[in-house]
């Protein structure tokens, strides 16, 4: 696996004129590249969760636009702009919940509209590369801001993977955990295993072990029992979309953890760039919740364990209402006890 | 698999002078018998979860006492009673949380003390058989009482497996679900898959599919999201031990579901025979919580999926405080909003 440099985990890279993704379906057992040469590869990568995590999906889509523009130009020459729109629509439909996908395509499309009929590759590639680097910078800024909220020697709980693998690098929730650990503020991390896709057991634990940050996995349903033992000061998670009132869409189970946190007086932090905030949706009820195949939860790596003839309901995100959230950490600042007014002010900074 | 008769699921049977258990480690893929010829087989069966579920563990232990007495008599003749005590201690230590284990051994030991020095096999076997049949009757009585609490066309959620497999037959929580379905009161059952051992996906779904009761599996962490969609009227679970104040030990995750139920105004029912009530413990804090090997949650059937080098914390029960419980259904009656006073009165009936 050649995507990692300087001992940092990088899940997305542009190399030899292709998009190279670390295939997260096979982590942590195998570190394999998934190479995207054409747009359908990029769409497959997002849809099949080769790459996942809202910011990472956005960055991947930005490179997808580069690939689409390149192919449109190769095929149609100076007429290329007439053909790219259909591609962008397909790309935007790859997964429904993470708004960063639409946001990144919109950013890239703004530049597409400014392009001449000449070969757009270099200019679009530069933009995608800039977005990648900016995402890392944004994560580092959020890491520092989030760490400021945490007291020394804390134990924290995280759900799913909002780490380097879910972003261009460093991570949102895990970015805060990295920064806080570095600053001596975190002594132990508990990670929900995060059924059905096991992002916690497979990806978060993998990242934290690499960084030598002490981590214990728990089954998702043990979070409340853990909090009752005391000594968890913060739950720290990422987000796939935040509504204009501060309601938070994130991996299924986040809502359950948020309710348990409130019940035990544990604070709840959401770490997400402002590209995750969707000002067009007044409340979380309007956020589309993806439902994936029941098979995804009835088997593990081809081993089917559920009783034959049973059905499953597999929503893969849920909505945590703003009133259960203590802090939203963004690159533009931190909002405590989020509401529509505070979010509007943040977004106009 | 020859344990089932009359289309009813029976996990425990005495046949050809041996105890025959349906090996629940391999369900639903394989229906295999686990034959116990000596006491160490019985202890292994309980410890390794060949048989699980508090009432089923109790009944199994009762037959374990028969086997122990038989072997003591064969080895030591009329001195057999001097030797059985050590066996009973080993048996009682097989698993710590379910009080039905100690309860059943105590019941059997009472009879052991009354026995003469002659061969005790027939008399003890009769007692164990009676306990098995009584457990089924008790479950049927609780099934009817619990069903009375449920309104027509309800949807309910259950956690873990408190069915025929967890008892001598019929089930506690699933007994109520069976009775209520029969009476047209339940139109759909949601079952938590119940990590790490997947009792919901493997056992509860298997039982309900056999009975043609409509069932959908969810990941444990989706329970709160499900309740938010509305239309879940009751959570119905079993218990491994109930303290004198009504605090309930049950499968890890039960507490999380109970908090979410209260948050959404969903009612919470615990179905357990009075043999599960431990009057010697004032509160749930005193109930020993078993922690099992981290490996149990980091692999599925030998397939290790968690990141190498990570640890796991694997408590397999938790405590739901009495104030989150709306009803405890026992064979002696139903208690609404349980507390120490109501439980004392129930137990003195």
């Amino acid at each position: 696996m050649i995507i990692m440099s300087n001992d940092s985990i990088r899940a997305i890279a542009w190399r030899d004129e292709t998009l190279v993704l670390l295939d997260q379906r096979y982590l942590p057992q195998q570190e394999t590249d998934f190479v995207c040469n054409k747009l359908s590869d990029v769409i497959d990568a997002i849809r099949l969760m080769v790459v996942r995590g809202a910011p990472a999906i956005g960055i991947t889509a930005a490179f997808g636009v580069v690939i689409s523009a390149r192919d449109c130009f190769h095929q149609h020459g100076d007429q290329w702009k007439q053909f790219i729109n259909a591609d962008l629509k397909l790309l935007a439909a790859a997964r429904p919940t993470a708004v960063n996908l639409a946001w990144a395509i919109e950013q890239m499309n703004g530049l597409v509209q400014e392009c001449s009929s000449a070969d757009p590759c270099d200019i679009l590639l530069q933009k995608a590369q800039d977005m990648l680097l900016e995402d890392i910078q944004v994560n580092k800024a959020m890491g520092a801001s989030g760490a400021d909220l945490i007291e020394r020697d804390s134990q924290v709980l995280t759900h799913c993977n909002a780490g380097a693998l879910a972003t261009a690098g460093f991570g949102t929730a895990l970015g805060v955990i990295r920064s806080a650990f570095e600053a001596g503020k975190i002594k132990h991390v508990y990670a929900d295993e995060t059924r059905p896709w096991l992002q916690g057991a497979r990806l978060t634990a993998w990242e934290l072990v690499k960084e030598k940050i002490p981590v214990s996995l728990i089954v998702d349903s043990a979070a409340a029992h853990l909090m009752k033992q005391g000594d968890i000061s913060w739950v720290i998670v990422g987000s796939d979309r935040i509504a204009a009132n501060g309601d938070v869409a994130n991996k299924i189970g986040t809502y359950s953890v948020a309710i348990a946190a409130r019940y035990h007086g544990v604070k709840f932090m959401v770490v997400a760039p402002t590209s995750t905030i969707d000002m067009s949706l007044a409340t979380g009820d309007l956020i589309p919740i993806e439902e994936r195949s029941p098979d995804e939860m009835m088997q593990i790596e081809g081993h089917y364990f559920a009783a034959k003839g049973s059905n499953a309901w597999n929503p893969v995100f849920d909505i945590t209402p703003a009133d259960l959230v203590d802090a939203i950490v963004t690159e533009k600042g931190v909002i405590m006890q989020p509401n529509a007014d505070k979010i509007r002010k943040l977004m106009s900074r």
Side-chain angles (χ1 to χ4, degrees), chain A residues 213-226:
Chain A
I213 299 176
V215 56
S216 297
L217 290 167
I218 58 170
V219 294
D220 304 316
S221 75
H225 182 60
L226 172 68

Side-chain angles (χ1 to χ4, degrees), chain A residues 1-5 7-11 15 20-34 50 165 202-203 206-207 209-210:
Chain A
M1 213 272 301
I2 39 173
I3 296 174
M4 290 157 56
S5 59
D7 211 23
S8 296
I9 298 166
R10 298 279 179 267
R15 204 171 56 237
V20 184
L21 302 170
L22 174 56
D23 195 332
Q24 301 188 33
R25 295 173 300 176
Y26 304 119
L27 287 177
Q29 283 77 17
Q30 289 177 48
E31 301 183 14
T32 317
D33 291 343
F34 184 96
V50 170
L165 292 168
R202 299 195 300 107
L203 309 181
W206 184 73
E207 289 198 31
V209 166
K210 270 188 193 287

Side-chain angles (χ1 to χ4, degrees), chain A residues 19-163:
Chain A
L19 175 63
V20 184
L21 302 170
L22 174 56
D23 195 332
Q24 301 188 33
R25 295 173 300 176
Y26 304 119
L27 287 177
Q29 283 77 17
Q30 289 177 48
E31 301 183 14
T32 317
D33 291 343
F34 184 96
V35 178
C36 301
N37 290 307
K38 52 190 194 300
L39 184 72
S40 62
D41 297 335
V42 180
I43 292 171
D44 281 348
I46 295 172
R47 198 171 50 82
L48 302 173
M49 298 175 71
V50 170
V51 63
R52 27 64 52 201
I57 288 172
I59 302 300
T60 300
F63 286 105
V65 175
V66 175
I67 290 173
S68 164
R70 180 180 66 190
D71 289 354
C72 286
F73 184 77
H74 282 174
Q75 248 188 294
H76 305 288
D78 59 11
Q79 302 298 304
W80 67 272
K81 281 168 79 171
Q82 292 177 32
F83 294 88
I84 198 169
N85 224 20
D87 276 8
L88 302 194
K89 276 189 185 156
L90 284 175
L91 184 57
R95 287 190 75 190
T97 303
V99 74
N100 310 59
L101 175 59
W103 173 87
I105 293 170
E106 204 177 289
Q107 296 280 307
M108 293 299 288
N109 195 34
L111 190 55
V112 164
Q113 297 314 317
E114 289 170 18
C115 283
S116 69
S117 57
D119 185 342
C121 276
D122 289 349
I123 192 169
L124 291 175
L125 179 58
Q126 187 58 51
K127 170 77 173 169
Q129 297 274 29
D130 289 349
M131 286 169 72
L132 183 147
L133 293 174
E134 197 192 336
D135 189 59
I136 297 172
Q137 291 315 310
V138 156
N139 288 339
K140 289 190 172 166
M142 294 191 297
S145 303
D148 282 347
L149 300 174
I150 299 173
E151 300 195 348
R152 281 199 79 76
D153 289 330
S154 290
Q155 299 196 114
V156 300
L157 172 66
T158 187
H159 186 74
C160 196
N161 172 270

